[in-house]
Amino acid sequence: MNDFLKQAISYENLHWQIAGALILACIFGYFADGDTAIFGVNLVEIFSFFGGLFMNALKMIVVPLILAAIIMGVSNMAGQESFGRIGGKTVGLYVVTGFFAIFTGLLLVNLIAPGDIDPDQAQALVESISEDDVEVIQSKVKDRSAADLVDIIARAIPSNILVAASEMNLLALIFVGIVFGTFMTRLKGDIRVTMERFWQGIHDIMVVITIWIMRFAPIGVLALVGKVLMLSGFEVFSVLLWFFITVLLALAIHFFVWLPLMLRFIGGINPIKYYSKIVRAQLTAFSTASSSATLPVTINSAEKAGVSTRVTSFVLPLGATVNMDGTALYECVVVIFIAQIYAATTGTDFSFAQQLTVVVMALLTSIGVAGIPAASLVAITLILTMVGLPAEWIGIVLAVDRILDMCRTSTNVTSDLTITALIASTEKEELSEIRAQGSSTEAEAA
């Protein structure tokens, strides 16, 4: 019995512990609500405390880990042909997976048509938008415009690296890391060796700290997910059931079909083996709803699967900043869903040209607006305004947005990890633990 308990709580079975925490969170969400108290203390406040500690612990190591990883990765690639080659392939695959995600969402939202409802029901949904929802939307999108797409480039070159670090401006940290790593290679003699050992030591320490923090992941996951479910409840899904199903189904197709197919046929990688290696990152992304906070776990998971630091140190931080497949898909579905409700209430149809505009804008905003607060909310508002739909109607989906945010973040992180494995495979890395049997790449390696 003691051996069974030791095995159950071991780090190797952490993904099962997190899965158990998710189930327990659902139980809390079903039987408890925002007013439930234990020993006179509100349960939501307890969960907020422990969930906040877990999130802060993960965020604490993001900045030093990104800087160390990128500096080491760039210094290893600087002056080599592989630097430009890896960068080009990374950006290209980000665009490809983004379009796959958006078109999947576009297809399903048109087939299922969750907003194609009775005019009276549509009007009731519109009237259900509270003044509080409108205030939330206005506060988050205040002073935001399409100029944010251009501003993201300016944010990449920080005037103060310490401010960029405190704000977790990942794009700025990536830029500084690339510059520092490139010029570090121009040092000569012992000083270069010392700097390389210093940053390698920082990276290794951050990995060890990540593993330690993840031992508390089940508690953090229970707190974060349990709080969301207790506050939102399950009754909100009845009104927006078909919208919720549409988004989940589209995300599932991207998660379980397109990404695995790319792994198998482009990278010669067994998707089941690879997903089993990265499941901790997927579950952490789901519970935290933050690609940035999950980044330490994402990097650790990819390296556990056999991907080299040379690849993970460049591809994953960049992916956590600009590769948002789940977000792009969600933006597309929300805008078309609101367009369908608009058609039901006003009789004005949404044209094919307008839908194409949504596709392009969803891709651009998922990349460009990802670095600012309330990214998806800002992006959706920009798109709604551009295609002539009432921006405040985004309040219709706010009730289920937090749950779907968790799902699309997990999809974002899985896409990052998929592209990382594809880059590693095309760079002829061995990846022996996740290779598909009989793959051409495996044959070449043999």
Side-chain angles (χ1 to χ4, degrees):
M1 186 65 177
N2 288 337
D3 291 339
F4 174 78
L5 289 175
K6 288 180 181 179
Q7 184 68 19
I9 63 175
S10 69
Y11 184 75
E12 295 302 317
N13 288 316
L14 184 63
H15 55 287
W16 292 114
Q17 298 166 29
I18 295 175
L22 286 172
I23 295 172
L24 192 57
C26 291
I27 295 173
F28 272 103
Y30 186 79
F31 289 103
D33 57 32
D35 297 323
T36 303
I38 296 179
F39 303 116
V41 182
N42 187 278
L43 189 57
V44 169
E45 293 181 2
I46 295 174
F47 278 14
S48 294
F49 176 74
F50 286 103
L53 288 180
F54 180 63
M55 283 288 288
N56 289 342
L58 286 174
K59 291 178 179 179
M60 173 185 71
I61 58 177
V62 168
V63 171
L65 179 62
I66 286 180
L67 273 177
I70 290 181
I71 288 171
M72 288 308 302
V74 170
S75 67
N76 290 333
M77 290 189 294
Q80 302 178 20
E81 183 183 311
S82 60
F83 184 61
R85 185 174 66 242
I86 289 176
K89 286 190 290 189
T90 300
V91 174
L93 285 171
Y94 284 163
V95 174
V96 169
T97 57
F99 269 118
F100 267 109
I102 294 168
F103 276 111
T104 300
L106 183 67
L107 178 64
L108 285 183
V109 76
N110 278 288
L111 288 176
I112 299 175
D116 188 9
I117 54 180
D118 181 84
D120 292 336
Q121 289 179 309
Q123 189 61 41
L125 272 179
V126 174
E127 292 174 355
S128 70
I129 303 173
S130 67
E131 292 184 4
D132 290 339
D133 289 340
V134 174
E135 289 179 4
V136 168
I137 296 166
Q138 290 176 341
S139 65
K140 290 186 176 181
V141 302
K142 183 181 179 181
D143 299 326
R144 299 296 184 186
S145 67
D148 285 306
L149 299 178
V150 178
D151 183 60
I152 200 72
I153 299 174
R155 287 167 55 87
I157 304 178
S159 59
N160 188 322
I161 183 59
L162 296 179
V163 173
S166 67
E167 295 176 351
M168 285 189 65
N169 182 352
L170 298 189
L171 205 57
L173 294 176
I174 291 170
F175 175 80
V176 171
I178 290 174
V179 172
F180 194 101
T182 300
F183 285 93
M184 192 173 74
T185 60
R186 300 191 180 186
L187 297 175
K188 304 294 182 183
D190 292 342
I191 186 64
R192 174 173 175 175
V193 174
T194 300
M195 290 301 297
E196 288 177 347
R197 287 178 176 174
F198 171 79
W199 288 109
Q200 185 64 55
I202 294 292
H203 176 270
D204 293 347
I205 291 171
M206 291 303 107
V207 169
V208 173
I209 294 175
T210 299
I211 293 173
W212 175 72
I213 292 172
M214 286 305 294
R215 296 304 299 264
F216 301 94
I219 299 173
V221 169
L222 170 61
L224 291 168
V225 180
K227 174 188 173 183
V228 170
L229 293 178
M230 282 192 295
L231 291 177
S232 64
F234 289 91
E235 64 276 2
V236 297
F237 301 114
S238 59
V239 179
L240 297 169
L241 179 62
W242 285 109
F243 167 76
F244 190 80
I245 290 174
T246 302
V247 176
L248 279 189
L249 186 56
L251 290 172
I253 291 174
H254 193 67
F255 191 103
F256 292 109
V257 179
W258 301 136
L259 295 179
L261 285 176
M262 292 180 71
L263 284 170
R264 180 63 183 86
F265 292 105
I266 297 178
I269 293 168
N270 186 320
I272 297 176
K273 289 182 180 179
Y274 189 51
Y275 274 28
S276 69
K277 297 286 186 181
I278 63 174
V279 64
R280 291 172 188 167
Q282 293 169 328
L283 292 174
T284 304
F286 177 82
S287 58
T288 62
S290 171
S291 300
S292 300
T294 307
L295 188 56
V297 187
T298 308
I299 292 175
N300 182 249
S301 296
E303 292 178 352
K304 287 284 186 183
V307 181
S308 70
T309 304
R310 182 175 72 105
V311 173
T312 61
S313 62
F314 178 77
V315 178
L316 287 175
L318 189 62
T321 309
V322 301
N323 185 42
M324 303 289 172
D325 289 358
T327 301
L329 182 155
Y330 181 71
E331 291 172 13
C332 179
V333 174
V334 170
V335 173
I336 303 301
F337 171 64
I338 291 175
Q340 291 169 350
I341 294 176
Y342 188 76
T345 55
T346 65
T348 305
D349 290 329
F350 203 60
S351 69
F352 179 72
Q354 287 175 304
Q355 294 204 22
L356 286 181
T357 301
V358 172
V359 169
V360 175
M361 289 303 299
L363 181 64
L364 292 176
T365 54
S366 68
I367 295 172
V369 189
I372 65 175
S376 61
L377 191 61
V378 173
I380 293 169
T381 305
L382 291 177
I383 298 172
L384 288 172
T385 304
M386 185 167 291
V387 295
L389 295 172
E392 64 274 11
W393 282 21
I394 193 178
I396 294 172
V397 302
L398 288 184
V400 296
D401 179 73
R402 187 63 177 82
I403 300 294
L404 292 175
D405 190 11
M406 298 157 74
C407 297
R408 62 184 184 260
T409 302
S410 187
T411 303
N412 292 341
V413 168
T414 303
S415 176
D416 295 342
L417 285 160
T418 296
I419 292 171
T420 301
L422 293 178
I423 297 296
S425 180
T426 57
E427 289 295 308
K428 310 300 181 185
E429 293 191 7
E430 196 170 319
L431 306 177
S432 57
E433 293 188 21
I434 57 175
R435 284 288 180 199
Q437 291 184 352
S439 71
S440 58
T441 312
E442 187 179 50
E444 290 174 7

